[in-house]
Amino acid sequence: MRLTEADHARVSAAVTEAELATDGEIVAVVAGRSDAYHDVALHWTVLAMLLVLALLAWQPAPVEWLHAHLIDAWSETPPRWYLTFALILMAVTFLVARVILALDALRIALTPGATKSRRVNRRALTLFRAAAEKRTKASTGVLLYLSLAEHRAEIIADESIHSKVAAEVWGEAMAALILAVKDDRPGDGLAEAVAHIGKVLAEHFPRSEGDINELPDRLIVL
């Protein structure tokens, strides 16, 4: 999924149009992903290691077969063989799992939805504090953040807006955005969401005389 030049132009134009009727300022940001999820990959790797260890404990026959064919078919398999085989098997499992989970798409697919939501929200908050929070004279900035890999979005409003607009009011904008993203139309979804946000801002913060554009209208891609 990627944004074309036409998408950039469409979203930037939507921001400019939405701000014509309000003192609010909208900042649209798109990120390829919100986190690398390497810790999740490590968790799956450790789980795989424990799983092969459990399988070996349940079915130690491969170790006994190796000892019988390589050392002595008539003697009992010593404990060190089990421990050595387990160590080798776990090391191989670790290396194989880490190589496989180096693939971004697989790593993200194996990440629990709740974890992705938390990471997207955390990244959005960080960006909001850097790009919009208290960056306008009347604290009327809104961040629209879309994380493509996770198919998740966040709308975070500045203090003045948050005190007047409940979080659920942004639901229509979020629904339009996510639906378009699932249809592989992120540009359309962002433009529609911006239009919805603009309507909410115009209702609560209509444009006043002398209002100036305090934040950039262009779509920011990370």
Side-chain angles (χ1 to χ4, degrees):
M1 185 183 300
R2 59 187 296 273
L3 291 163
T4 64
E5 291 185 10
D7 289 329
H8 280 254
R10 187 181 305 117
V11 176
S12 298
V15 172
T16 300
E17 183 176 353
E19 292 179 356
L20 291 177
T22 176
D23 282 348
E25 295 285 332
I26 303 170
V27 178
V29 179
V30 174
R33 66 184 183 191
S34 293
D35 194 87
Y37 302 102
H38 289 305
D39 57 326
V40 176
L42 182 59
H43 293 159
W44 280 105
T45 300
V46 171
L47 181 61
M49 292 168 60
L50 294 175
L51 179 60
V52 298
L53 187 61
L55 290 174
L56 182 61
W58 173 64
Q59 190 57 260
V63 183
E64 298 166 354
W65 183 89
L66 282 173
H67 181 265
H69 284 75
L70 297 178
I71 305 298
D72 184 0
W74 299 100
S75 64
E76 185 177 350
T77 304
R80 67 176 181 274
W81 268 75
Y82 294 103
L83 295 175
T84 301
F85 191 82
L87 179 61
I88 293 173
L89 190 59
M90 290 178 70
V92 171
T93 301
F94 178 85
L95 293 174
V96 171
R98 287 297 287 169
V99 169
I100 293 175
L101 291 172
L103 298 172
D104 288 345
L106 179 60
R107 196 166 60 248
I108 291 175
L110 291 175
T111 299
T115 299
K116 287 188 279 194
S117 295
R118 286 194 300 270
R119 302 286 170 90
V120 170
N121 178 260
R122 184 175 65 188
R123 183 76 187 284
L125 283 172
T126 299
L127 292 171
F128 172 71
R129 287 165 183 153
E133 186 177 29
K134 299 187 185 301
R135 296 286 296 275
T136 60
K137 185 178 180 179
S139 295
T140 53
V142 177
L143 174 74
L144 172 60
Y145 175 71
L146 171 62
S147 194
L148 294 173
E150 294 91 343
H151 286 190
R152 281 168 170 76
E154 293 283 341
I155 297 175
I156 304 178
D158 221 333
E159 182 179 350
S160 295
I161 299 172
H162 184 68
S163 63
K164 292 185 176 181
V165 182
E168 53 268 22
V169 173
W170 308 116
E172 192 173 351
M174 290 288 288
L177 175 54
I178 297 302
L179 180 62
V181 169
K182 290 181 178 179
D183 290 339
D184 200 18
R185 297 182 295 107
D188 293 339
L190 285 165
E192 291 178 32
V194 165
H196 286 299
I197 293 171
K199 291 177 183 178
V200 174
L201 293 178
E203 179 183 349
H204 295 278
F205 301 90
R207 186 164 189 170
S208 58
E209 185 177 352
D211 177 63
I212 61 173
N213 192 18
E214 298 175 273
L215 297 176
D217 292 349
R218 65 178 179 84
L219 175 63
I220 300 172
V221 178
L222 305 177

